Amino acid sequence: MKNLIAELLLKLAEKEATAKEQIAQIEALEIVVTALVRKLDPSQHQAILSGIENAIDHVADASDENAALLRRHIDRLLRHPRE
């Protein structure tokens, strides 16, 4: 029983370490995207937004929860980047 608990705790620790690494990668990408978006001309910015919206429209249903979540995050990154 102790071995089982020890194995479960080890697996949990590994998953937590992986999750922290993924969060760090996502935050780094967000910083990079924000910096790039701030350098764009308004016409370039709008063209990118339109392209992304068209791509999402072609691959996801409007009722899809994942698509809605993706749209919210894209909107946050591209329309309201970090200050």
Side-chain angles (χ1 to χ4, degrees):
M1 186 69 160
K2 288 181 183 180
N3 286 340
L4 177 61
I5 292 172
E7 284 181 40
L8 290 173
L9 288 174
L10 185 60
K11 286 182 182 181
L12 181 61
E14 288 171 356
K15 286 186 179 190
E16 186 175 326
T18 300
K20 284 182 181 180
E21 176 67 25
Q22 289 173 339
I23 289 169
Q25 289 174 355
I26 290 166
E27 288 178 351
L29 286 170
E30 183 177 345
I31 291 167
V32 170
V33 168
T34 298
L36 292 171
V37 166
R38 287 185 176 157
K39 297 289 184 183
L40 294 174
D41 293 338
S43 62
Q44 291 173 314
H45 187 249
Q46 187 57 44
I48 289 172
L49 282 174
S50 296
I52 290 170
E53 288 170 355
N54 287 337
I56 291 173
D57 289 342
H58 284 86
V59 296
D61 291 336
S63 62
D64 185 6
E65 278 185 41
N66 290 334
L69 182 62
L70 185 60
R71 285 178 198 274
R72 277 198 309 274
H73 285 292
I74 288 171
D75 185 58
R76 184 176 54 85
L77 279 172
L78 297 179
R79 293 185 194 274
H80 310 287
R82 285 183 170 184
E83 300 281 329

